[in-house]
Amino acid sequence: MAMRSATGSTLPLALDTLVRLTRRRHTPGVPLRLSVPEGMTAPLGCDAVATPATLGAQLVPRLPRVGCVYADRGRWWWLVPSDSDYALDWPAPARYAADAVVPDTPDAPQLLYRPDGPVPYTPPIPLYLALCRLTGTTPTWSRPVSA
């Protein structure tokens, strides 16, 4: 196997490099979940909402309370109580992740923010409304109903 360098030439990959890269990848079949920080409890279970990092920075000042927020390459992950997607269509480009399962990433996101209290949640309704506002999406309950 080979890798292309920035100059366009092909560089061979040694076996030890391939083994190291393989070990760093997330094992398929085992879901990667965001963990609740030590000393905190999640009495309502945990789901997560992923947003692009650019939106994440804009959301913080719009929220009355910010719970645990994690970050990976380009995304912020907000812990919310389980079933916070009930009757809500989270606006794109947000992604809702049941059980706080983080798909498509080899490494666990790092804790970016931890609140002072013992509960890790960001309130889902204010988060949803702020996302709707920033993305120009009409909230689910304000959309016209067709018969």
Side-chain angles (χ1 to χ4, degrees), residues 96-111:
Y96 191 86
D99 296 324
V101 173
V102 181
D104 308 327
T105 184
D107 302 313
Q110 299 299 309
L111 185 62

Side-chain angles (χ1 to χ4, degrees), residues 7-93:
T7 61
S9 62
T10 303
L11 304 171
L13 290 177
L15 184 57
D16 62 334
T17 303
L18 291 173
V19 169
R20 188 177 70 248
L21 290 172
T22 301
R23 286 184 181 154
R24 278 200 286 179
R25 289 185 61 213
H26 177 62
T27 307
V30 179
L32 179 61
R33 287 188 170 87
L34 296 173
S35 60
V36 174
E38 192 172 321
M40 298 187 100
T41 60
L44 302 174
C46 253
D47 288 348
V49 177
T51 63
T54 54
L55 277 180
Q58 294 174 46
L59 286 168
V60 171
R62 295 172 184 257
L63 297 173
R65 180 183 186 282
V66 176
C68 289
V69 180
Y70 297 80
D72 63 12
R73 291 181 242 137
R75 289 182 293 198
W76 284 18
W77 294 87
W78 307 77
L79 288 186
V80 293
S82 291
D83 300 324
S84 293
D85 62 336
Y86 181 76
L88 292 178
D89 295 323
W90 287 82

